[in-house]
Each structure stands twice: as structure tokens, then as C-alpha cells.
Amino acid sequence: MNTQNHTKSGVSNTGSPMPGSLSQPPVETPGHGLLAGRTVVVTAAAGTGIGSATARRALMEGADVLVSDVHDRRLESTRAELAALGLGRVEALTCDVTSTSGVDALIDGAVAALGRIDVLVNNAGLGGETPVVDMTDEQWSRVLDVTLNGTFRCTRAALNYFRGVEHGGVIVNNASVLGWRAQHGQAHYAAAKAGVMALTRCSAIEAAEYGVRINAVAPSIANHAFLAKVTSEELLEKLASDEAFGRAAEPWEIASTIAFLASDYSTYLTGEVVSVSSQRA
């Protein structure tokens, strides 16, 4: 019998990782053609976060991809990196999701560039760390305008497109476990993500009649550079240590669940929010 004690983070009392534990990120799962022949649009895909990881996963699963972001230089860099994988077609369009005309142009441009849209991933979001007592109207409104209103604008534009075609489509929204949980300094972000969850449920009921599925993922914490810019290192370390695996998720681990929701493996799922977390939602 093995009597060695282990911590919840998957590290033994000798300081070594537990055999077979997930305290260290696993090797990324190869593609299995889940999105073969599909076209996927991903918002806020520049950089190294969940958006770019989702675009990469879509390519690995056989899709052609259009990535969008408000940052021109970072977007072009991301497009080039994705194209260099030599997997599928990669297009890019700049878009500010706080602009209705900009979002409408994104959907029109994606159809023109790719021929059709099969999947939209609403990844755009904005966070911060400010207690309610110190929060300005501008801070509150900015986070909700990007995170919730932006998701609404993109969903509306995509549904207008999907309603006019016969092939239907899929929308996957990026929510957060903070839509369910309380966390200090995150009232604006949590309110926005709770709104994304509600939007997901209601729009899914409406969209079912013309063959569109809408679901969301709710990550707990994913390890990427942008998060470190808006959240203190101390808080990130605490949040990661609170996870059952003792670490944050890698962006590709979130992207894999998004690919599942976008694929035909989830044809009876709509209006659902899937928690991508190693602890209770």
C-alpha cells in the first residue's frame, strides 16, 4: 500500500509531481477533424490568450478561420503565426466590438472572405480589478460595453446572417465562472459575464427555430499574458492554487472545449454554460 501523502495540487511531500497527475499541463491533444470543412470566426483573437488558442484549435480540427481584434499590429502578427502552421486558410479583419457598424462589417467581411460562416466564437472581453466603492461610471460601463454588449452585437449580427441561410450555425460565447461566483474587485466583470450567460440561454431558445445552437464556456482561470496585465500576481497565484490541480488552465484547454461545443459532437446542446474548471462552479 502506498502511504505517501499528497497535496491537492498534485505534488507529493517530497516535492515531486504525483504520477499521472494534472498538476503540470498535459501535452496538447492533436486534432481529430471535429470541424473539418467548417469556417470559424473568432473575436479578440490577437495575442496569446483563449481567442488565439481557439483559432489554432479550429485549424487543427480542419476548419478555415477568420480572426478579429481591435489591435491591428497584434492581429496581423497572430494571423501570420496561425498561417505559418500550414493547416487551413487564415483571414483577419480588424473590429471594435463596441461599434455596431464595425461588428456588422465584420460579419459581412467574414462571409466575403470565407464564403460562409459556420461558427462564431465570441471571445472579446475586458476585465480589471476595482472595488465597487472606488469604481467609476466609466470603468463599469467600459467593461460591460466590451464584454456583454459586444457579445450581444456580434450575436445579433451573426443571427441575422444565419437566419438567411439554410445551413444553420453555431455560436460559442466565452463567459466566466465569475458569472456564478463572487470575487473581490470583479463586480463589473462578473456582472458582464453573468449577462453573457443569460444572453446565451435566451438567444439559444430564439435561434433554435432556424437551426442555430448557442452555448458558452465558463473558464475559471487560464494562464496567458493579458491576464497578468489586469490582475495582480498575488491574486493569480492564489486563484491557481485554489484549483484542484493547483494550476491555471492553459488556453488550449479552454479552446478544446470550445471546439467540442462548435462540433457535431454537441448537436443536442444549446443554451448551456459549460464550466471549464478544476473545481466546483
Side-chain angles (χ1 to χ4, degrees):
M1 174 185 254
N2 185 354
T3 59
Q4 188 178 51
N5 293 322
H6 300 296
T7 69
K8 70 172 183 176
S9 65
V11 178
S12 72
N13 56 8
T14 64
S16 301
M18 292 166 53
S21 81
L22 289 172
S23 61
Q24 299 297 319
V27 176
E28 184 172 6
T29 306
H32 289 81
L34 299 187
L35 301 174
R38 308 288 174 84
T39 59
V40 178
V41 177
V42 186
T43 66
T48 59
I50 294 172
S52 59
T54 298
R56 181 174 181 272
R57 169 54 62 176
L59 289 167
M60 292 171 64
E61 297 295 350
D64 290 333
V65 170
L66 185 141
V67 289
S68 179
D69 204 284
V70 71
H71 302 285
D72 290 304
R73 183 183 57 80
R74 290 194 328 184
L75 178 62
E76 174 52 31
S77 176
T78 298
R79 187 208 62 77
E81 290 174 6
L82 293 170
L85 296 174
L87 297 173
R89 183 177 175 186
V90 183
E91 303 286 348
L93 286 173
T94 304
C95 177
D96 178 356
V97 298
T98 67
S99 165
T100 294
S101 61
V103 167
D104 291 344
L106 169 64
I107 297 301
D108 290 343
V111 174
L114 298 175
R116 59 187 277 165
I117 299 173
D118 295 303
V119 179
L120 168 67
V121 179
N122 283 316
N123 177 65
L126 183 66
E129 188 178 356
T130 307
V132 169
V133 69
D134 298 319
M135 191 177 296
T136 66
D137 285 2
E138 182 181 4
Q139 287 173 309
W140 173 270
S141 297
R142 176 63 176 165
V143 168
L144 264 73
D145 198 21
V146 172
T147 309
L148 175 56
N149 297 346
T151 300
F152 158 70
R153 293 183 187 100
C154 291
T155 297
R156 178 179 60 189
L159 289 180
N160 271 304
Y161 164 73
F162 287 136
R163 186 167 57 177
V165 297
E166 295 182 356
H167 59 71
V170 178
I171 297 174
V172 184
N173 297 324
N174 190 0
S176 168
V177 294
L178 291 188
W180 292 307
R181 301 178 190 159
Q183 185 174 306
H184 187 280
Q186 296 293 318
H188 48 358
Y189 185 72
K193 290 300 190 180
V196 168
M197 293 177 176
L199 173 63
T200 298
R201 290 188 289 266
C202 293
S203 59
I205 294 299
E206 298 169 2
E209 65 184 80
Y210 37 93
V212 176
R213 296 188 297 107
I214 304 177
N215 292 292
V217 294
S220 51
I221 178 173
N223 183 27
H224 58 90
F226 179 75
L227 190 61
K229 294 180 180 179
V230 298
T231 308
S232 68
E233 183 177 345
E234 293 76 17
L235 178 59
L236 290 177
E237 289 178 355
K238 179 183 184 306
L239 293 174
S241 67
D242 285 344
E243 293 286 315
F245 300 142
R247 65 173 177 87
E250 294 297 309
W252 70 261
E253 291 178 296
I254 312 300
S256 295
T257 302
I258 292 173
F260 160 73
L261 291 174
S263 78
D264 288 344
Y265 280 91
S266 59
T267 52
Y268 200 68
L269 268 174
T270 198
E272 297 295 335
V273 180
V274 178
S275 175
V276 188
S277 169
S278 66
Q279 58 180 339
R280 289 192 305 272

